[in-house]
Amino acid sequence: LNHLSGWPAGGPHVLLRDGMQTLASSEIIVSGGRRFSRRLPKPEPGFNFYTLGAAERFLGLVDVTFSKDDARLLSVVAMRLVGGKRAVNPFDVTDTVELDQSTAVVLDQFVSDGVLDWEVPDGKWAVVASYVMPAGEAPTLVASERLGLVVNHLHAGKVIGHYNYAFGIRTGLDAHYGKAFKGFFNDSLEFKIDRIATTEILEEFERRRGYDLRPYLPAVFYDASDNSFIFNPKRFAPLYRLSKDDKRIRYDYRKTISALVMRHFYGESTAWAASLGLYSRAQSYGM
């Protein structure tokens, strides 16, 4: 059996808190030589949100919500501004702000209750706040009036909750485990997300890659970078350019997310299935 209908895995039982998460950012440009005290702005909708929202409304699927009130601050870093400016048009995916990586200052210790209080050194600085927030992605082409959301593939407990809903005792399928019901299938990982994330990404990244991601976080941001339907690196530019190591940072980030999906989604799927005498089959295309 399929894991319900549509893809990636999810459905009407998946609420906002149980769904996939995305990395988001906000930016403040400040001049140095003074004390700066201000509440950090929350992320605002960008290219991926508007494109996804327009497409899904056109198809009559779901109203996409940008849940910035649920955004959780991950880290704040400042770097001297070298050049470029942010485009006003959210559909402009070619603008890049250039920062000086060698001047990076992690400001987490200067943030209290969302307010940054920092004595800014001389020069012009970009303050980049990184957040983790609900992605709000619904599965594609679900055969149900109420679509729900894609389940968080990076959270083992939510993955198991999804399987218990789809195949558990409430369905009556338990009487057929390993008999008429042999196993289940997960369709492709064709997410429609800006940048897949988890609230534990900093700890997981340092444990697996061996260095602190925080001074390099701006290099990770790319409009629609984890939207497998539209992202094209030849057409899209990174939001920030820091140094010659930017591509390596993005590679390390993807590798970390991949490891978490393998562990919490595919690993848990296999273990849950085996414990019930079932097999789990998956198409890992897309991610």
Side-chain angles (χ1 to χ4, degrees), residues 17-166:
R17 65 176 180 267
D18 304 315
M20 290 291 288
Q21 298 179 311
T22 186
L23 204 61
S25 68
S26 67
E27 172 190 293
I28 308 173
I29 305 299
V30 299
S31 296
R34 65 186 180 93
R35 184 171 180 175
F36 179 85
S37 185
R38 176 178 163 185
R39 180 168 296 279
L40 294 166
K42 290 290 185 76
E44 293 297 334
F47 174 85
N48 196 68
F49 171 79
Y50 288 118
T51 304
L52 180 60
E56 298 208 336
R57 282 186 175 87
F58 176 76
L59 294 171
L61 296 179
V62 65
D63 282 337
V64 181
T65 301
F66 190 82
S67 304
K68 68 178 182 180
D69 289 340
D70 296 303
R72 173 179 167 179
L73 185 64
L74 187 66
S75 186
V76 184
V77 63
M79 298 182 205
R80 278 200 171 92
L81 182 66
V82 176
K85 64 179 181 178
R86 187 68 57 222
V88 176
N89 181 0
F91 289 95
D92 186 347
V93 294
T94 62
D95 63 312
T96 297
V97 172
E98 189 171 351
L99 307 177
D100 183 354
Q101 170 69 63
S102 67
T103 65
V105 182
V106 176
L107 301 177
D108 297 354
Q109 61 179 322
F110 301 113
V111 179
S112 177
D113 194 26
V115 175
L116 171 64
D117 193 341
W118 178 45
E119 199 70 40
V120 188
D122 290 338
K124 202 166 188 180
W125 296 77
V127 176
V128 182
S130 298
Y131 295 85
V132 175
M133 61 180 289
E137 179 187 3
T140 300
L141 300 179
V142 172
S144 170
E145 290 185 3
R146 182 167 172 267
L147 305 186
L149 297 170
V150 173
V151 71
N152 189 342
H153 286 50
L154 282 68
H155 191 292
K158 298 183 188 303
V159 171
I160 297 306
H162 168 69
Y163 289 139
N164 283 330
Y165 178 88

Side-chain angles (χ1 to χ4, degrees), residues 246-264:
D246 289 358
K247 288 185 178 180
R248 174 58 187 267
I249 303 301
R250 290 191 285 271
Y251 172 82
D252 283 352
Y253 187 90
R254 282 187 182 274
K255 194 171 182 179
T256 302
I257 294 295
S258 178
L260 293 174
V261 171
M262 290 297 295
R263 176 184 174 187
H264 295 295

